[in-house]
Amino acid sequence: MIENNKQIRIKDIAEKAKVSIGTVDRVLHNRGEVAETTKKKILQIVKDLNYHPNILASTLASKKSALFATLLPEPPSPDGYWTRPVIGVKRRVSELRQYGIQVQPFTFSQTDPKCFVENSRKIIELKPDGVVFAPFFKKESVEFINNLKELDIPFVFIDSEIKDEGQLGYIGQNSYQSGLVSGKLLDLILPEGNILVIHFAKEMDNQNHLVQREKGFYDWYHKNKREIHQLFTTEVPDTSDEKWMDRVAKIIRDKNIKGIFATNSKVFNVGRLIEKHNLFGLKVIGHDLLKENVAYLKKDIVQFLICQRPEEQGYSAIDKIFRYVVQKRNTAAKQYTSIDIVTKENVDYYKEFKKEI
């Protein structure tokens, strides 16, 4: 009798069916001719024994390793948002070291589409077995995708997605739903006054995830008929010169703005604006657990941060491409991460900012 905790082998099935190992192998892999009665007998034994192939052993036996490439935004600082997905990538690769998995990282400037194109071409020259990337610039990303398809290289989106482009999957927040959540939160804490949506980004036509967050935000107010608030949108493509603050401060005063929604992780710029122009009392929502953002959260200048577990995104993206390329297994096409609502009261319970005891 076979012990329940023992790894079932093809040999065990063959002995129980009183056939050769080769016959069992042909049935399991559906190759070669096997008598129908023998085939049914073997498949029943497989079911009874709850047999599962030892994927690790078979992969190691094939001596196949894989090279993946990542193309992610370059973090502007050591504590920047985009350092977190990289940590997740490295953690999953470390766990898969017995498979010989390698990852070649590439980065691009968040303000320079040409940098994205340059590094995407390097990936095409490398011809990796799979790619994980953030489709930050839509037009340039579609060109990159077409090149990947020509080479039959599978790819996974991280952080933001472009729908129906043949991706193996998407790992990240539902950006539209995140916008809806932000709209509801601001509506709950803002009894009167108008609202300003701020994009700290260039070329908004290319910033798909920010466009979706804005759409979700606007739709919350339209669907719930919140006519007491007028909504306005402005873009701030460059914050290196503080002249942008004067322009936005004028909009806030002229348009009776009482609430602000920053669509990305640069909500700390709103905090600086409020302090410089003495605009205290505004209700502000932004994104991501950057140290600069948390500082303004704790000052109660920012009321909510919407967070999306970037480390988990990096980890899951590598896991998905590994399962498809190496293990020949499919997983769910979309894997949405949670939409976390962080306040000054709960921020210290997130591991990035947990107080030392």
Side-chain angles (χ1 to χ4, degrees):
M1 184 175 177
I2 298 171
E3 298 173 11
N4 289 334
N5 61 352
K6 179 182 176 182
Q7 173 69 44
I8 305 301
R9 303 166 299 173
I10 290 179
K11 180 181 178 182
D12 299 319
I13 298 169
E15 288 177 354
K16 195 170 180 64
K18 294 182 172 56
V19 297
S20 70
I21 291 174
T23 300
V24 175
D25 185 75
R26 286 196 297 276
V27 170
L28 292 177
H29 295 94
N30 196 28
R31 56 175 179 249
E33 293 186 8
V34 178
E36 190 63 28
T37 54
T38 303
K39 183 177 181 180
K40 287 181 178 178
K41 182 179 180 181
I42 290 171
L43 291 176
Q44 186 60 50
I45 292 171
V46 166
K47 182 178 179 182
D48 293 343
L49 295 180
N50 193 27
Y51 168 78
H52 296 284
N54 188 330
I55 294 171
L56 173 58
S58 60
T59 304
L60 292 176
S62 71
K63 296 183 179 179
K64 174 175 174 58
S65 59
L67 173 63
F68 302 141
T70 59
L71 181 58
L72 306 176
E74 187 175 26
S77 70
D79 299 317
Y81 170 85
W82 283 102
T83 62
R84 307 306 301 178
V86 173
I87 291 172
V89 166
K90 290 179 177 178
R91 181 160 62 91
R92 187 57 180 138
V93 170
S94 175
E95 294 172 354
L96 298 171
R97 60 185 178 275
Q98 69 266 42
Y99 290 93
I101 300 299
Q102 298 180 63
V103 172
Q104 179 65 52
F106 294 86
T107 59
F108 61 89
S109 168
Q110 297 182 50
T111 59
D112 186 3
K114 291 181 181 178
C115 184
F116 178 95
V117 171
E118 179 184 337
N119 282 281
S120 68
R121 287 174 179 169
K122 289 178 181 178
I123 292 176
I124 294 300
E125 290 174 8
L126 182 66
K127 295 181 181 177
D129 297 294
V131 174
V132 172
F133 81 103
F136 213 76
F137 305 104
K138 185 174 182 180
K139 181 176 67 177
E140 290 76 10
S141 292
V142 170
E143 180 184 343
F144 181 35
I145 288 165
N146 289 336
N147 291 331
L148 291 172
K149 286 178 179 177
E150 285 181 11
L151 295 172
D152 200 26
I153 297 173
F155 56 95
V156 172
F157 290 145
I158 186 174
D159 186 72
S160 60
E161 67 174 326
I162 304 174
K163 294 185 183 299
D164 304 320
E165 283 293 340
Q167 61 269 29
L168 181 61
Y170 164 64
I171 312 289
Q173 245 183 24
N174 183 320
S175 297
Y176 176 82
Q177 201 68 28
S178 174
L180 283 176
V181 170
S182 299
K184 181 171 185 176
L185 285 173
L186 196 52
D187 192 27
L188 288 171
I189 62 174
L190 196 67
E192 52 88 25
N194 298 326
I195 296 167
L196 181 63
V197 177
I198 303 181
H199 297 296
F200 290 101
K202 288 182 178 179
E203 299 188 30
M204 277 304 300
D205 287 344
N206 264 335
Q207 305 283 351
N208 184 55
H209 62 305
L210 304 189
V211 171
Q212 287 300 309
R213 284 175 183 170
E214 179 187 22
K215 187 175 187 304
F217 188 85
Y218 268 76
D219 279 357
W220 165 262
Y221 287 91
H222 292 158
K223 289 176 180 178
N224 290 280
K225 297 181 170 45
R226 307 298 289 165
E227 288 90 354
I228 58 171
H229 306 296
Q230 277 188 284
L231 274 62
F232 302 90
T233 296
T234 191
E235 297 173 20
V236 181
D238 185 8
T239 57
S240 58
D241 187 331
E242 291 192 352
K243 288 180 180 177
W244 71 268
M245 290 192 180
D246 297 331
R247 178 178 67 83
V248 175
K250 186 175 188 305
I251 294 173
I252 290 170
R253 293 190 175 102
D254 290 351
K255 302 294 185 181
N256 188 33
I257 300 298
K258 299 296 182 182
I260 293 178
F261 173 50
T263 57
N264 62 10
S265 62
K266 298 181 180 180
V267 69
F268 58 84
N269 285 316
V270 177
R272 292 171 182 168
L273 167 69
I274 288 171
E275 289 182 328
K276 180 178 179 181
H277 284 267
N278 194 28
L279 295 169
F280 298 98
L282 292 172
K283 302 300 182 184
V284 180
I285 294 179
H287 290 78
D288 301 323
L289 285 177
L290 305 190
K291 287 187 176 178
E292 303 99 313
N293 292 345
V294 171
Y296 284 109
L297 188 72
K298 291 188 172 183
K299 289 179 182 180
D300 211 24
I301 290 175
V302 172
Q303 279 64 50
F304 296 106
L305 289 174
I306 307 299
C307 303
Q308 53 184 328
R309 301 180 184 267
E311 187 173 325
E312 179 185 319
Q313 291 183 33
Y315 180 98
S316 298
I318 291 296
D319 184 68
K320 179 179 283 290
I321 204 87
F322 161 75
R323 289 177 182 275
Y324 181 80
V325 171
V326 178
Q327 295 186 328
K328 311 299 182 188
R329 296 164 63 188
N330 286 314
T331 57
K334 291 187 179 182
Q335 189 173 330
Y336 289 126
T337 53
S338 59
I339 301 174
D340 292 353
I341 301 169
V342 181
T343 70
K344 69 176 182 178
E345 290 78 17
N346 69 355
V347 67
D348 287 328
Y349 295 94
Y350 283 78
K351 63 181 180 180
E352 295 94 332
F353 296 94
K354 202 161 188 176
K355 294 177 180 176
E356 295 183 6
I357 298 175

